[in-house]
Amino acid sequence: MSVLDENIAKAGAYMAGFRASGVLNHIGGQTVAALSGDTMDTISPIDGSVLAQVAKSDAGDVDRAVAAARAAFPAWSKLPGAERRKILIKVAEAIEARAEEIAFTECMDTGQALRFMSKAAIRGAANFRYFADQAPSAEDGEVTRTPTQMNTTSRRPIGPVGVITPWNTPFMLSTWKIAPALAAGCTVVHKPAEFSPMTAKKLVEIAEEAGLPKGVLNVVNGLGETAGKRLTEHPDIKAIAFVGESRTGSMIMAQGAATLKRVHFELGGKNPVIVFDDADLDRAVDAATFMIYSLNGERCTSSSRLLVQASIYDDFTARVAEVAKRIKVGHPLDPETVVGPLIHPVHEAKVLSYFDKARTEGATIAAGGAKIGEAGCFVAPTLFTGATNDMAIAQEEIFGPVLTAIPFQDEAEALALANDVEYGLAAYLWTNDLNRAMRMTDTLEAGMMWVNSENIRHLPTPFGGVKASGIGRDGGDWSFDFYMETINVSFPRAPHNIPKLGG
Ligand code: NAD
């Protein structure tokens, strides 16, 4: 039996539970169907087969979940941070113990390759550990004094919060939002993406088995325009942490306006990787190809625009094309696979539409540019060359293993091209000239920049975008600032003159 066959057999066992009982909601510690009894399919991107029936919830289901989160809030928020820490560390341990199950489920539901998903489960556990460790000090503030007043600042959990997540790497992304919310003392209603709901259900089950009190984390499945919308409008939900497309972020901001919702948005990107001719080109080729062709290119921080100095453009893009052509596309559970099937036929159709756009716009398809096979959502790793920055393939987020290469003459042109998009999530810069790196990073419009490096996440650092790529930052203490209210209390240090009115 090959490793792939073994993995498929294991995944079949993991899927059997979902097939039998469906992906139901999890509210107040109970697994429940949608009140209407409605369901929707979640399908395998490998062959289009139905993996399970998913609860198709509407406003009434969201209201139940919010009521459960509200009921659980007083006890959870008052639990000492050190106690919350203990529980959340147990959750991290339980995730690690079930990392294989999570990874296999994620591969089947999303099409992401196992070589990346096995790490995603471990990263999810790391998120829980990191934020758990900060729970004991999350309330802490500072004391500031004047001759007459002593001001004490502290933080309180904001209340029940909504977390709305997208379909790419859903487990890791959800933990990134949910772990700091729980560590801060908030309770959560999570609305996972309709294309990939499975691991959200696993997370809440694992968390409760590890000791998370019932009602602290609740999961409601359903469509964005119904279940998601109600969550953003619910008056008892104090904040919405959202990861997804920029236009959905705009809708959520409008939907939450009536209840003055606090929002945190991690949105789309069209991130440049800028390569100067003085760079270590071997490493730059590896990093540029890794950041677009790993995770199926369905990654907000993917380096989807390759800006290369004209003097090395032909040689560099030829090397990238060679790598793209050699990449193994295949079953996500095959340990050799780099690119698996895209999440869903709807998304695949979007990605494929850019191959026609590229041809119409006059770009060259230097690698890929086609669907692979008949069954499933397999798309060849693709490189467009000869592109200009005004083309749709240079401006729009394609969200697949698709890279658009554009030449530049000098630093000024590189900067102009890099910044001439609506997005501003990440930028990658390759040069051995330190002064140039300083100048460029001062002016690039991106929330995160990596110099001579691919995206290496360090949890204490801020993660987030500028322009249409987001509002707010995750990581470090920034996460706690979002999920908590900062309160100031002032005490008199000495009698002071209080003006008498009306005397
Ligand atoms: P999406 O915006 O279509 O959906 C995301 C979530 O929002 C889903 O759960 C969906 O049901 C829900 N939703 C949709 N309409 C809603 C509404 N009106 N009200 C409330 N909720 C609603 O995004 P997607 O296609 O699932 O994910 C891909 C996008 O996510 C890409 O743009 C990608 O760049 C972005 N993303 C960003 C980051 C980041 O950190 N910046 C990380 C991952 C993904």
Side-chain angles (χ1 to χ4, degrees):
M1 207 185 206
S2 70
V3 178
L4 174 59
D5 289 339
E6 275 173 29
N7 287 351
I8 290 174
K10 273 189 202 167
Y14 292 135
M15 290 298 107
F18 284 113
R19 243 193 325 276
S21 47
V23 186
L24 300 183
N25 295 336
H26 196 96
I27 298 177
Q30 305 296 317
T31 294
V32 289
L35 289 168
S36 64
D38 286 353
T39 59
M40 54 192 184
D41 295 340
T42 185
I43 63 166
S44 161
I46 302 161
D47 57 12
S49 61
V50 176
L51 291 174
Q53 298 295 313
V54 184
K56 192 175 179 188
S57 312
D58 54 28
D61 302 287
V62 173
D63 291 355
R64 277 175 84 182
V66 174
R70 192 180 163 186
F73 180 72
W76 181 248
S77 59
K78 298 239 165 15
L79 199 65
E83 295 303 311
R84 286 203 300 273
R85 176 185 176 278
K86 276 189 208 158
I87 294 172
L88 298 178
I89 293 284
K90 289 210 174 90
V91 174
E93 288 166 357
I95 291 172
E96 280 157 357
R98 289 171 67 178
E100 182 189 90
E101 179 185 344
I102 295 164
F104 278 51
T105 304
E106 197 88 311
C107 291
M108 293 302 291
D109 207 14
T110 66
Q112 295 282 3
L114 183 59
R115 65 162 69 198
F116 304 117
M117 284 309 95
S118 53
K119 296 185 187 89
I122 299 300
R123 278 185 68 189
N127 289 338
F128 266 92
R129 274 183 199 286
Y130 175 78
F131 291 111
D133 281 341
Q134 292 177 69
S137 56
E139 274 185 30
D140 292 353
E142 57 179 19
V143 173
T144 52
R145 288 150 62 105
T146 71
T148 56
Q149 299 295 121
M150 181 179 72
N151 291 289
T152 64
T153 305
S154 61
R155 291 192 298 200
R156 294 176 193 166
I158 192 170
V161 298
V163 172
I164 301 179
T165 48
W167 45 255
N168 66 314
T169 63
F171 186 80
M172 201 287 292
L173 276 177
S174 309
T175 59
W176 198 344
K177 298 287 178 190
I178 291 169
L182 299 180
C186 296
T187 53
V188 173
V189 176
H190 178 201
K191 211 299 276 170
E194 41 273 56
F195 284 174
S196 59
M198 288 183 159
T199 51
K201 178 75 174 126
K202 273 213 184 306
L203 175 62
V204 68
E205 286 170 4
I206 289 171
E208 286 185 1
E209 278 166 35
L212 191 73
K214 295 180 191 328
V216 169
L217 173 60
N218 306 275
V219 180
V220 182
N221 292 286
L223 301 179
E225 54 266 37
T226 50
K229 182 166 183 284
R230 175 60 183 161
L231 190 57
T232 63
E233 291 172 342
H234 200 295
D236 289 340
I237 289 291
K238 300 302 170 195
I240 292 284
F242 169 73
V243 186
E245 290 187 21
S246 302
R247 65 167 186 274
T248 315
S250 298
M251 282 194 271
I252 289 177
M253 188 173 257
Q255 292 161 195
T259 49
L260 295 175
K261 208 71 86 207
R262 182 183 287 186
V263 293
H264 183 171
F265 289 163
E266 284 180 358
L267 309 173
K270 191 73 182 177
N271 311 299
V273 50
I274 307 165
V275 184
F276 284 91
D277 61 6
D278 65 351
D280 180 334
L281 298 180
D282 293 342
R283 287 175 65 73
V285 167
D286 290 343
T289 50
F290 176 76
M291 282 309 302
I292 187 65
Y293 299 127
S294 62
L295 297 178
N296 292 353
E298 296 166 325
R299 176 182 201 156
C300 55
T301 51
S302 71
S303 55
S304 50
R305 284 187 303 151
L306 174 61
L307 309 181
V308 188
Q309 198 152 23
S311 50
I312 55 165
Y313 180 84
D314 287 343
D315 182 50
F316 194 89
T317 52
R319 292 178 67 182
V320 170
E322 276 314 302
V323 174
K325 287 173 191 165
R326 283 201 309 269
I327 282 174
K328 180 169 166 50
V329 180
H331 196 291
L333 294 173
D334 183 340
E336 301 298 315
T337 291
V338 173
V339 171
L342 300 182
I343 180 84
H344 192 276
V346 168
H347 182 60
E348 183 197 36
K350 174 187 158 181
V351 172
L352 293 176
S353 76
Y354 283 95
F355 300 162
D356 290 335
K357 277 188 194 153
R359 290 186 191 97
T360 315
E361 287 178 320
T364 303
I365 297 181
K371 179 175 169 60
I372 299 179
E374 292 299 310
C377 304
F378 296 90
V379 169
T382 296
L383 173 68
F384 300 136
T385 54
T388 54
N389 215 39
D390 56 340
M391 294 179 178
I393 55 170
Q395 291 289 321
E396 296 171 16
E397 186 185 44
I398 301 174
F399 221 55
V402 182
L403 180 58
T404 301
I406 303 171
F408 66 82
Q409 292 298 331
D410 54 19
E411 202 175 302
E413 192 184 9
L415 265 175
L417 292 172
N419 289 343
D420 181 24
V421 284
E422 64 172 312
Y423 297 107
L425 187 59
Y428 305 89
L429 178 62
W430 285 85
T431 177
N432 275 329
D433 180 338
L434 179 62
N435 291 325
R436 171 191 281 151
M438 296 293 274
R439 284 191 302 271
M440 294 282 293
T441 51
D442 267 353
T443 321
L444 277 169
E445 293 169 357
M448 297 170 285
M449 301 174 212
W450 280 270
V451 177
N452 295 337
S453 167
E454 81 279 29
N455 170 346
I456 298 188
R457 181 83 183 103
H458 181 48
L459 284 172
T461 57
F463 185 105
V466 301
K467 295 159 74 178
S469 289
I471 297 174
R473 296 291 178 268
D474 269 317
D477 196 52
W478 289 275
S479 298
F480 287 92
D481 249 355
F482 177 70
Y483 293 112
M484 301 185 88
E485 292 280 21
T486 300
I487 308 291
N488 187 68
V489 181
S490 189
F491 296 92
R493 294 185 62 214
H496 61 285
N497 185 32
I498 301 178
K500 286 186 188 299
L501 303 180

